[in-house]
Coordinates of all heavy atoms in Angstrom, one line a residue:
Y11 N 95.9 111.8 96.6 CA 95.3 110.6 96.3 C 96.5 109.6 95.7 O 96.7 108.5 96.1 CB 94.2 110.6 95.3 CG 93.7 109.3 94.8 CD1 92.9 108.5 95.6 CD2 94.0 108.9 93.6 CE1 92.4 107.3 95.2 CE2 93.6 107.7 93.1 CZ 92.8 106.9 93.9 OH 92.4 105.7 93.4
G57 N 92.0 99.4 101.0 CA 90.5 99.4 101.2 C 90.0 100.8 101.3 O 88.9 101.1 100.7
C58 N 90.8 101.8 101.9 CA 90.3 103.1 102.0 C 90.3 103.7 100.5 O 89.5 104.5 100.2 CB 91.3 103.9 102.9 SG 91.1 103.5 104.7
I59 N 91.3 103.3 99.8 CA 91.4 103.8 98.4 C 90.2 103.4 97.7 O 89.6 104.2 96.9 CB 92.8 103.4 97.7 CG1 93.9 104.2 98.4 CG2 92.7 103.7 96.2 CD1 95.3 103.6 98.0
Q60 N 89.8 102.1 97.8 CA 88.8 101.6 97.1 C 87.5 102.2 97.5 O 86.6 102.5 96.7 CB 88.6 100.0 97.3 CG 87.5 99.4 96.5 CD 87.7 99.6 95.0 OE1 88.7 99.5 94.4 NE2 86.6 99.9 94.3
M61 N 87.3 102.6 98.8 CA 86.1 103.3 99.2 C 86.1 104.7 98.6 O 85.0 105.1 98.2 CB 86.1 103.3 100.8 CG 85.8 102.0 101.4 SD 85.9 102.1 103.3 CE 85.2 103.6 103.7
S62 N 87.2 105.3 98.5 CA 87.3 106.6 97.9 C 87.0 106.5 96.4 O 86.2 107.4 96.0 CB 88.7 107.2 98.1 OG 88.9 108.4 97.4
I63 N 87.4 105.6 95.8 CA 87.1 105.4 94.4 C 85.5 105.2 94.2 O 84.9 105.9 93.3 CB 87.8 104.2 93.7 CG1 89.3 104.5 93.6 CG2 87.3 103.9 92.3 CD1 90.2 103.4 93.2
A64 N 85.0 104.4 95.0 CA 83.5 104.1 94.9 C 82.7 105.4 95.2 O 81.7 105.7 94.5 CB 83.2 103.0 96.0
E65 N 83.1 106.2 96.2 CA 82.4 107.4 96.5 C 82.6 108.5 95.3 O 81.6 109.1 95.0 CB 83.0 108.0 97.8 CG 82.4 107.3 99.1 CD 80.9 107.5 99.2 OE1 80.4 108.6 99.0 OE2 80.3 106.5 99.5
Y66 N 83.8 108.5 94.8 CA 84.0 109.4 93.7 C 83.1 109.0 92.5 O 82.5 109.9 91.9 CB 85.5 109.4 93.3 CG 85.8 110.2 92.1 CD1 86.0 111.6 92.2 CD2 86.0 109.7 90.9 CE1 86.3 112.4 91.1 CE2 86.3 110.4 89.7 CZ 86.4 111.8 89.9 OH 86.7 112.6 88.8
E67 N 83.1 107.8 92.2 CA 82.2 107.4 91.0 C 80.8 107.5 91.3 O 80.1 107.9 90.4 CB 82.6 105.9 90.8 CG 84.0 105.7 90.1 CD 84.3 104.2 89.9 OE1 83.6 103.3 90.3 OE2 85.4 104.0 89.2
K68 N 80.4 107.3 92.5 CA 79.0 107.5 92.9 C 78.6 109.0 92.8 O 77.6 109.3 92.2 CB 78.7 107.1 94.3 CG 77.3 107.3 94.8 CD 77.2 106.8 96.3 CE 75.8 107.2 96.8 NZ 75.7 106.9 98.2
S69 N 79.5 109.9 93.2 CA 79.2 111.3 93.1 C 79.2 111.8 91.7 O 78.3 112.7 91.3 CB 80.1 112.2 93.9 OG 81.4 112.1 93.4
K70 N 80.1 111.3 90.8 CA 80.1 111.6 89.5 C 78.8 111.1 88.7 O 78.2 111.8 87.9 CB 81.4 111.1 88.7 CG 82.6 111.8 89.1 CD 82.5 113.2 88.6 CE 83.7 114.0 89.0 NZ 83.6 115.5 88.8
K71 N 78.4 109.9 89.1 CA 77.2 109.3 88.5 C 76.0 110.2 88.9 O 75.1 110.5 88.0 CB 77.0 107.9 88.9 CG 75.8 107.2 88.3 CD 75.7 105.8 88.8 CE 74.4 105.2 88.2 NZ 74.2 103.8 88.7

Side-chain angles (χ1 to χ4, degrees):
Y11 172 80
C58 290
I59 290 169
Q60 184 57 42
M61 287 175 44
S62 174
I63 291 169
E65 283 297 316
Y66 176 79
E67 289 175 352
K68 180 182 172 187
S69 70
K70 287 297 179 187
K71 182 180 178 184

